[in-house]
Amino acid sequence: MDFDRKKHSDEFLLARYRDLLFPRMVEEKMLILLRQGRISKWFSGIGQEAIAVGLTSALQDSDYLLPLHRNLGVFTTRKLPLVRLIAQWLGKEVGYTQGRDRSFHFGSPEDRVIGMISHLGAMLPVADGLALASNLDGEDFIAVPFSGDGGASEGDFHEALNVASVWDLPVLFVLENNGYGLSTPSEEQFRAKRLADRAKGYGIRGVTIDGNNILEVIDQVERITKRMRKDRKPVLLECLTFRMRGHEEASGTKYVPKELFEEWGKKDPVSNYEQYLLQEGVLTQDVVDAIRAEFKAEINEAVEQAFALPDIQPDPARETAQIYAPLSAQPILPNGQERNEMRFVDAIQDGLRESMCIHPELVLMGQDIAEYGGVFKITEGFVEEFGKDRVRNTPICESAIVGAALGLSLAGKKAMMEMQFSDFVSCGFNQIVNNLAKNHYRWGHAPDVVIRMPSGGGMGAGPFHSQSTESWFTHTPGLKVVYPSTPEDAKGLLTAALADPNPVMYFEHKGLYRSETGTVPTGYYQTPIGKARTVRSGEDMTIITYGLGVRWATEAIESLDADVEIIDLRTLIPWDREAVFTSVRKTGKALVLYEDTQTGAFGAEVAASISEACFESLDGPVMRLGSLDTPVPFHPELEKRFLANDRLKDRLEELLAY
């Protein structure tokens, strides 16, 4: 292995040796503990340390690193406390996730380290958002996410590179090519001779280096990032290396040919660098022995301290309280201000505009939302009013934009993404349910992100532009889900969602956009999230519904000789149990109405909860009515029969007669 010290001093070379040796010795200790059964799992980075250590050494402290589970050298070079790291691996109370997630699945924003989730590629779009924040604020920091060669086949890898290219984002995509994705060799995963060649397809630079040569890593990264801080353009850096142990220890290495171990064993980054420094006279064997003895003592002491820390005492109340970040202020309610007649769609636009003025850190992203104004024209005129930095057209890559929204929030921004149709959210599902939803519970950062979801049927748009998708998200702890039915609440719930520090799925029924009108308070106000609204008081039965269902219920009872109470949930998660239960205990009968398909919808959860909490007050069965259990059909007559409204009057009469 050829090392070139260039102008590096002996002190610099020695410091990098210490940085490189320390994570190797920590790993060796962890492997002993694993064999002893004292830790549960370990993903080894032995043989790859020069990448994490060299790269971290070459960066500024302000740069963000998004490492994977083989990048212990990132954490140790950034000087995260070893006792707390070991406590994290043990699932101790003082670990970064307090036992809620494993190994390196955590972030430490104060150290500019944002950890991974298990889904490969998922953090690359997050780096896009961090880099976007750097550009918007005129900072010079860059974002550095890691990927393996296996993860380079994930959709998020390609989406993230494309967004970074189109938006000129200073992201250094680090690709550790160790030849295997678990047991599958590279030749069974891609045909490119060098993965850095993929950069050409995105119009960015690609560089391949020897990832086992720490000095080459440092020098190349310093050269690349110096240019990036000026031109603000992304780079794909492929680091050639080899994993000397299994994907994780239980998987073994029998699938790897023996000659590969022999070849790469000769390229070991630690032993080769050590030999080079001995030859250069920077090290002596006595110094090597002294450093190893020092590190051994430090590591052993940290291990004993970590094991001596108290074990976690499970507390379900504390766990559920960790799902959301607390609100920083009470909701700003309407206060007698003037009211104007507005359509539903205009109220959404008004709420969005008011929030853009209140929150200068708010960034809007979505397909065609800039000059075109969005397919429903809600952001029409926003570019002229707020500028293209804050009102951003996106490529068609839902997952990357949700991830970028998370990255913006990590850098202190607020982000709103418009999902062009809620049906398309399936393309960004992982980022929502695994990144946005779980972040605060895992390590305390609440993603300040709102995703607007134009939803629902009734317009002959067929099965891919008409679905009711809210139940996909009401089952995911960590998300808030709101669904207004009136212009006043459309504005107020949107402003509340954008003020809330937690991720909010904001559903807006397309069928209400230009057909529902009402008076709306002028200026800025919020409709409290989690509070239902009594649309109409009654004594004979209660209809619990939301969205377009409120209109259906209101119209249906006009022809009934009954006194029916209507509860508009407004918020699905967290839903207002007290308001619903109070109403049902008064009337004795309940029908839960929703547009979503009948089976497994959120309305079934409401119905089950009513049966459980109000059983002794019921005068009839708790009924629910959803749409048919089929995809949404295209033909108007088929869709009419599909929707729950087609059977609503009959179901109401059935329950009233019980």
Side-chain angles (χ1 to χ4, degrees), residues 48-255:
Q48 301 185 195
E49 297 97 335
I51 302 170
V53 173
L55 189 143
T56 307
S57 301
L59 295 175
Q60 297 179 3
D61 290 343
S62 60
D63 295 331
Y64 278 94
L65 285 151
L66 294 87
L68 300 176
H69 46 216
R70 299 193 206 291
N71 302 128
L72 173 60
V74 167
F75 298 86
T76 56
T77 306
R78 276 278 165 99
K79 307 304 181 186
L80 274 69
L82 183 58
V83 172
R84 193 175 183 196
L85 281 173
I86 298 172
Q88 166 66 20
W89 304 332
L90 295 174
K92 295 280 189 173
E93 180 83 26
V94 301
Y96 289 89
T97 66
Q98 299 178 302
R100 297 184 178 111
D101 208 343
R102 63 197 297 184
S103 61
F104 297 104
H105 292 207
F106 69 89
S108 180
E110 62 271 22
D111 298 298
R112 300 276 179 143
V113 176
I114 307 300
M116 63 180 292
I117 65 172
S118 294
H119 300 66
L120 298 181
M123 302 310 293
L124 303 182
V126 179
D128 284 351
L130 289 163
L132 175 59
S134 180
N135 283 354
L136 292 175
D137 291 340
E139 303 282 350
D140 78 337
F141 72 79
I142 65 173
V144 186
F146 286 71
S147 173
D149 48 295
S153 294
E154 290 281 0
D156 272 344
F157 177 90
H158 299 279
E159 290 190 15
L161 264 68
N162 189 53
V163 170
S165 172
V166 171
W167 285 356
D168 287 333
L169 301 177
V171 182
L172 177 58
F173 295 97
V174 178
L175 202 163
E176 296 180 294
N177 186 351
N178 63 22
Y180 282 85
L182 207 155
S183 70
T184 306
S186 295
E187 58 266 24
E188 295 182 25
Q189 300 195 65
F190 49 82
R191 283 288 181 257
K193 183 177 180 181
R194 286 285 174 261
L195 285 171
D197 292 342
R198 290 183 174 181
K200 298 174 184 176
Y202 302 103
I204 66 176
R205 288 186 293 144
V207 180
T208 299
I209 66 172
D210 180 357
N212 281 24
N213 185 326
I214 187 170
L215 295 185
E216 182 175 344
V217 173
I218 291 171
D219 293 339
Q220 290 280 8
V221 170
E222 286 182 343
R223 179 183 62 82
I224 291 168
T225 56
K226 182 178 180 180
R227 177 174 169 181
M228 287 178 65
R229 294 184 203 283
K230 294 179 180 178
D231 68 16
R232 316 304 290 170
K233 294 184 183 299
V235 174
L236 175 60
L237 177 64
E238 178 184 20
C239 303
L240 302 180
T241 187
F242 191 74
R243 168 167 48 83
M244 296 300 290
R245 303 190 70 86
H247 168 73
E248 44 86 27
E249 289 304 301
S251 66
T253 58
K254 292 182 179 180
Y255 49 84

Side-chain angles (χ1 to χ4, degrees), residues 168-425:
D168 287 333
L169 301 177
V171 182
L172 177 58
F173 295 97
V174 178
L175 202 163
E176 296 180 294
N177 186 351
N178 63 22
Y180 282 85
L182 207 155
S183 70
T184 306
S186 295
E187 58 266 24
E188 295 182 25
Q189 300 195 65
F190 49 82
R191 283 288 181 257
K193 183 177 180 181
R194 286 285 174 261
L195 285 171
D197 292 342
R198 290 183 174 181
K200 298 174 184 176
Y202 302 103
I204 66 176
R205 288 186 293 144
V207 180
T208 299
I209 66 172
D210 180 357
N212 281 24
N213 185 326
I214 187 170
L215 295 185
E216 182 175 344
V217 173
I218 291 171
D219 293 339
Q220 290 280 8
V221 170
E222 286 182 343
R223 179 183 62 82
I224 291 168
T225 56
K226 182 178 180 180
R227 177 174 169 181
M228 287 178 65
R229 294 184 203 283
K230 294 179 180 178
D231 68 16
R232 316 304 290 170
K233 294 184 183 299
V235 174
L236 175 60
L237 177 64
E238 178 184 20
C239 303
L240 302 180
T241 187
F242 191 74
R243 168 167 48 83
M244 296 300 290
R245 303 190 70 86
H247 168 73
E248 44 86 27
E249 289 304 301
S251 66
T253 58
K254 292 182 179 180
Y255 49 84
V256 181
K258 181 180 178 181
E259 55 268 24
L260 276 179
F261 280 114
E262 293 173 351
E263 174 189 348
W264 283 94
K266 297 174 183 177
K267 301 177 182 179
D268 180 79
V270 178
S271 61
N272 275 281
Y273 187 56
E274 182 178 283
Q275 286 302 311
Y276 169 71
L277 296 185
L278 287 167
Q279 292 167 11
E280 289 284 304
V282 176
L283 279 178
T284 66
Q285 191 58 50
D286 287 344
V287 173
V288 170
D289 293 343
I291 293 173
R292 286 181 175 271
E294 173 195 340
F295 285 172
K296 182 178 180 180
E298 179 182 347
I299 293 165
N300 285 339
E301 182 180 356
V303 167
E304 295 310 310
Q305 288 182 21
F307 271 96
L309 291 168
D311 289 327
I312 284 178
Q313 301 300 317
D315 180 354
R318 190 184 76 160
E319 294 304 294
T320 54
Q322 183 66 16
I323 293 297
Y324 300 121
L327 300 179
S328 59
Q330 292 297 312
I332 300 172
L333 303 178
N335 189 26
Q337 60 257 56
E338 182 182 347
R339 303 174 72 94
N340 293 326
E341 189 81 9
M342 278 191 180
R343 299 178 302 175
F344 193 90
V345 67
D346 300 323
I348 294 174
Q349 184 184 70
D350 197 36
L352 197 54
R353 179 179 288 107
E354 292 281 355
S355 295
M356 288 287 280
C357 295
I358 289 286
H359 306 292
E361 73 279 18
L362 174 59
V363 178
L364 312 183
M365 300 182 290
Q367 295 161 27
D368 306 298
I369 71 165
E371 291 85 354
Y372 188 70
V375 294
F376 299 108
K377 301 303 178 185
I378 286 174
T379 54
E380 191 169 35
F382 275 42
V383 167
E384 291 78 8
E385 190 169 353
F386 301 107
K388 288 203 71 170
D389 277 352
R390 295 182 65 198
V391 185
R392 307 184 69 89
N393 282 334
T394 71
I396 302 175
C397 50
E398 288 82 2
S399 184
I401 303 307
V402 177
L406 171 56
L408 282 170
S409 77
L410 285 163
K413 302 287 187 184
K414 287 180 175 288
M416 185 230 75
M417 179 197 177
E418 177 184 301
M419 201 65 65
Q420 194 170 77
F421 290 83
S422 78
D423 313 64
F424 301 161
V425 75

